[in-house]
Structure formats: structure tokens, C-alpha cells
Amino acid sequence: MTAALPWIHLSLGLLLGAWTLLFLFRIVLTWYPQIDLSQGAARIVGLPTEPLLAPTRRLIQPIGGVDVAPVVWLGLISLLRELLVGQQGLLTQVMLRAAAATA
């Protein structure tokens, strides 16, 4: 199990980093409402983010006509990334303790 920790740590870090970038792009794309997120290259951003955003929009209505759901998810994913794979994250600490135990 401890041999797999670095791979789990790296994979989870990359996955959460990619989600962070997708939601950042999604926030920028909300400034351009004429862009259809189901067409062309914008689908790369629209398809993976919309399943999370649709239910969130039902709970959190747009404020002043601005969709804040992507900002909420960006914050949640950033928090999760920091808690799991950040410098003091859970997986990081488990890896460090496992490395110290084998040394």
C-alpha cells in the first residue's frame, strides 16, 4: 500500500489541479454568454463541469445575474486539494510518515 501512495498522491493532485483549471476557464467563459459550451473546443470545459454546476445552480441562484456556482466549486475543489495533497495535506503527511518509518 505504501508503494502506491506516491502514485495516488500524484494522480489525485493532477486530477484536482485539472478540475481547478476547468472551473477557472468556466468562470472566464461566463463573461462571454454568446459562447455555446456544447459546441467546438468549449465542450472541453463544458462537459466535465456542467454535471456539478446544474444541481448547484438550483441551490444557489445567480446573484445580480451572475452565475456564482463555478466560483463555489472552484473554492471547494481548491480546499479539497489543499486538505488532501497540499503541503500539510492528509496524503502528504501519510507519505512522509511512511517514508520516515522505512528509513
Side-chain angles (χ1 to χ4, degrees):
M1 175 67 180
T2 58
L5 278 176
W7 288 104
I8 294 170
H9 186 271
L10 177 65
S11 300
L12 193 57
L14 290 173
L15 178 70
L16 291 172
W19 275 84
T20 301
L21 282 176
L22 285 173
F23 278 105
L24 280 171
F25 290 143
R26 185 69 187 239
I27 290 168
V28 171
L29 288 174
T30 60
W31 300 339
Y32 303 98
Q34 71 275 12
I35 295 177
D36 184 8
L37 293 175
S38 64
Q39 303 270 327
R43 287 176 53 151
I44 296 170
V45 175
L47 287 177
T49 57
E50 192 58 34
L52 294 174
L53 293 174
T56 307
R57 285 189 195 106
R58 281 182 258 147
L59 295 173
I60 304 170
Q61 299 295 319
I63 299 172
V66 176
D67 183 16
V68 294
V71 176
V72 169
W73 276 104
L74 178 66
L76 289 173
I77 291 171
S78 296
L79 175 66
L80 185 63
R81 185 176 183 207
E82 190 61 35
L83 288 173
L84 293 176
V85 296
Q87 287 182 346
Q88 299 297 319
L90 294 173
L91 284 176
T92 305
Q93 293 302 312
V94 169
M95 274 183 23
L96 291 173
R97 290 181 197 270
T102 59

